[in-house]
Amino acid sequence: MEEAALTAADSTHTLCLVHPIDPRGNKVGGIETHIRMMMRLAPRDWRVLLVGVDAVGDCRLGAIRKLTVEGRSVDFLPVLYFAEDQTQAARSIFASLTFRFSIGLARHFLAIRSAVSTAPSTSVEFQRFEFAMLGPLLGCPAVQVIHGEGSKNDKMDSLIKKFWFLHRLNEEIAVRLAHRIICVNPNILSRLEREKPAAARRAVFMPVAVDTEVFTASDFDTRDGIFRVVFAGRFDEFKNPPLMFSALRRTYDRLGGKLQFHYIGTSDPARYPEFALVREFSVFHGFRTSREVAGIMKHCHAGILTSWFEGMPCYLLELLASGRPVVAVTLPQYKLVIEDGESGYLVDRADDQDRMIESLSDRLIETWTRIRSGAMPPRVIRKHALPFAVGAQLSRHFARHRQLVANG
């Protein structure tokens, strides 16, 4: 469905979002969720311009196409056609979406500049360091969101690990150029304060937001006696899928087969040999809209997270807002929302893999026991997500964009 978007001349402000995403596509992740919420919830008198990619092949590159995305009119300016699988990490720079998108930004720079030049005011937001040079070239104040936290020694399957020095160089450039820096977890802000104090003075902690009107609490349905554990997102290496699958299998065996694993996403978990442990009791949902994800979460009982590092996962906040507890390997930011025995359990990381599997299984079974006994009321679990509700989070974020323009 298409309709006329607010024109640059009619709007009070143009919010320019730059990221290799097709708003009509099915790429799932925290960044994609953030961008879709930004598009949908930007002030109604703002014009939203998304510089992205055409994953369908029906757009003219470098030309604005007016779309309605989740009920909101947006100007979509694709600079690259990219229909390849985006669920797996690229194996070379030239095959990477980020690199090819950067080339597209350069190739269609004049079209992007023309798209923002007629607006009375424009601010631009980046989710990746590699695109940060576009801000000063356009003459627009820029917001840089920092999502990643890992180090070069962490497990990851993207090219960042292989070209860590280039990643750090891009970060250095991006934080120097940004007028405002958003850190999605407090660890990132702490690192900036240690390593880049000048940049840290322009930085704030703002985790991803959760739409508490879409993700609402409901009573648990335990009548069939099957414990349903759900995970949504991509099976990147840093999320440690082998540990997740092993812990779920151990729990399945201990519960006598009374467990289902529900997966929402488009990654292929079979690339991990350990997936064979859970295949027989897994349910695949593929790509789903936010409202469909909310419905699946209501049908399930709990979530699981085993990542080596993270931001603040949308999936985690969505589960809590749905009144569903989460069992997770401890990361500092999780302590903001997971309280043992009330909204889930945290399991400290250990070098002994078997011990980790057993500890996660213990906590999953304890969670299931407390759910069935009524000791984990959904309304209490939901309270832990409410400070991160989209209304409060994004209203402050949009105010930052306004302030950047007002300050010239």
Side-chain angles (χ1 to χ4, degrees), residues 170-363:
N170 286 329
E171 180 188 30
E172 183 69 29
I173 294 170
V175 299
R176 283 179 179 270
L177 294 177
H179 295 76
R180 199 66 163 158
I181 301 167
I182 308 299
C183 304
V184 302
N185 75 48
N187 298 337
I188 299 172
L189 181 57
S190 296
R191 180 174 64 81
L192 282 182
E193 290 170 342
R194 292 193 310 271
E195 300 176 3
K196 301 177 175 67
R201 287 192 287 272
R202 289 175 278 118
V204 295
F205 162 55
M206 186 194 83
V208 294
V210 58
D211 192 332
T212 52
E213 293 184 4
V214 172
F215 294 89
T216 58
S218 60
D219 293 337
F220 294 109
D221 185 352
T222 62
R223 289 172 295 180
D224 62 5
I226 296 175
F227 184 29
R228 288 180 286 275
V229 181
V230 61
F231 174 77
R234 293 192 293 271
F235 281 122
D236 297 313
E237 188 175 350
F238 73 84
K239 294 182 183 289
N240 202 354
L243 176 59
M244 181 187 299
F245 300 148
S246 298
L248 288 169
R249 179 68 205 204
R250 176 64 179 139
T251 308
Y252 174 85
D253 290 340
R254 292 172 66 182
L255 292 176
K258 294 287 188 177
L259 183 144
Q260 285 181 350
F261 174 52
H262 290 253
Y263 172 52
I264 307 168
T266 55
S267 295
D268 179 13
R271 69 189 180 108
Y272 299 98
E274 292 83 358
F275 179 66
L277 297 171
V278 301
R279 186 190 303 272
E280 65 180 293
F281 56 90
S282 295
V283 179
F284 296 89
H285 296 278
F287 171 76
R288 289 290 183 266
T289 65
S290 293
R291 294 189 182 279
E292 290 171 335
V293 171
I296 295 167
M297 288 182 172
K298 286 183 178 181
H299 177 67
C300 295
H301 301 108
I304 182 171
L305 276 166
T306 53
S307 305
W308 294 93
F309 59 91
E310 278 277 8
M312 178 69 89
C314 290
Y315 152 76
L316 168 58
L317 296 178
E318 289 167 355
L319 271 169
L320 296 176
S322 301
R324 299 308 184 245
V326 181
V327 174
V329 175
T330 304
L331 288 174
Q333 62 270 30
Y334 293 172
K335 295 178 181 179
L336 298 174
V337 293
I338 299 179
E339 183 175 340
D340 280 354
E342 185 169 293
S343 57
Y345 287 98
L346 293 175
V347 175
D348 291 339
R349 193 175 300 281
D351 293 332
D352 187 332
Q353 183 80 349
D354 291 337
R355 177 183 168 189
M356 287 292 297
I357 293 169
E358 200 66 26
S359 295
L360 285 165
S361 179
D362 286 344
R363 297 285 73 78

Side-chain angles (χ1 to χ4, degrees), residues 124-167:
V124 60
E125 178 167 312
F126 304 106
Q127 316 298 320
R128 296 292 189 205
F129 300 137
E130 291 85 351
F131 316 138
M133 281 298 298
L134 186 63
L137 290 174
L138 292 174
C140 300
V143 174
Q144 177 69 57
V145 184
I146 305 180
H147 294 269
E149 182 197 345
S151 71
K152 65 180 178 180
N153 296 319
D154 287 321
K155 293 181 179 291
M156 60 183 80
D157 51 6
S158 71
L159 289 171
I160 291 176
K161 184 178 181 69
K162 186 176 182 180
F163 296 98
W164 186 257
F165 71 95
L166 188 58
H167 173 71

Side-chain angles (χ1 to χ4, degrees), residues 220 340-342 345 365-377:
F220 294 109
D340 280 354
E342 185 169 293
Y345 287 98
I365 289 176
E366 176 64 17
T367 298
W368 183 223
T369 300
R370 290 179 66 81
I371 287 172
R372 287 183 295 170
S373 71
M376 278 187 165

Side-chain angles (χ1 to χ4, degrees), residues 31-50:
I31 294 176
E32 291 74 29
T33 298
H34 170 74
I35 290 174
R36 288 189 172 104
M37 286 196 294
M38 289 280 287
M39 288 190 292
R40 178 164 60 89
L41 298 172
R44 301 307 296 185
D45 61 341
W46 285 20
R47 169 193 177 222
V48 178
L49 170 66
L50 173 65

